[in-house]
Amino acid sequence: MSQENEIRAKGLRLTPQRQLVLDAVRQLGHATPDEIAARVRQAHPGINLSTVYRNLETLEKAEIGRAHV
């Protein structure tokens, strides 16, 4: 299942920020929110740490991407 379909199947929208966070989680594996934020900022320098935390929490609640805060 594609990431977009996986997220939509859980009733969520695939926003650009959520896509970046999910990609970082999957690329880094077990990483801290700060490490994920650093990876996301490579593609989107203006993203706030709070945005990363919110998306991690949303992904974790939806059981997507093994996101753990």
Side-chain angles (χ1 to χ4, degrees), residues 6-7 11-12 14 17 20-22 25 27-28 32 34 36 38 40 54 58 61-63 66 68:
E6 181 181 7
I7 287 175
L12 302 172
L14 183 60
Q17 294 86 354
L20 288 169
V21 170
L22 183 56
V25 166
Q27 290 168 4
L28 295 172
T32 67
D34 287 327
I36 293 167
V40 169
R54 273 194 309 275
T58 299
K61 284 181 182 178
E63 299 178 351
R66 296 184 189 154
H68 299 287

Side-chain angles (χ1 to χ4, degrees), residues 26-66:
R26 289 187 168 158
Q27 290 168 4
L28 295 172
H30 187 70
T32 67
D34 287 327
E35 292 168 333
I36 293 167
R39 175 63 62 97
V40 169
R41 286 184 181 131
Q42 291 175 0
H44 193 297
I47 200 163
N48 292 322
L49 185 57
S50 62
T51 300
V52 172
Y53 270 99
R54 273 194 309 275
N55 278 286
L56 285 171
E57 184 176 0
T58 299
L59 293 169
E60 181 178 29
K61 284 181 182 178
E63 299 178 351
I64 297 172
R66 296 184 189 154

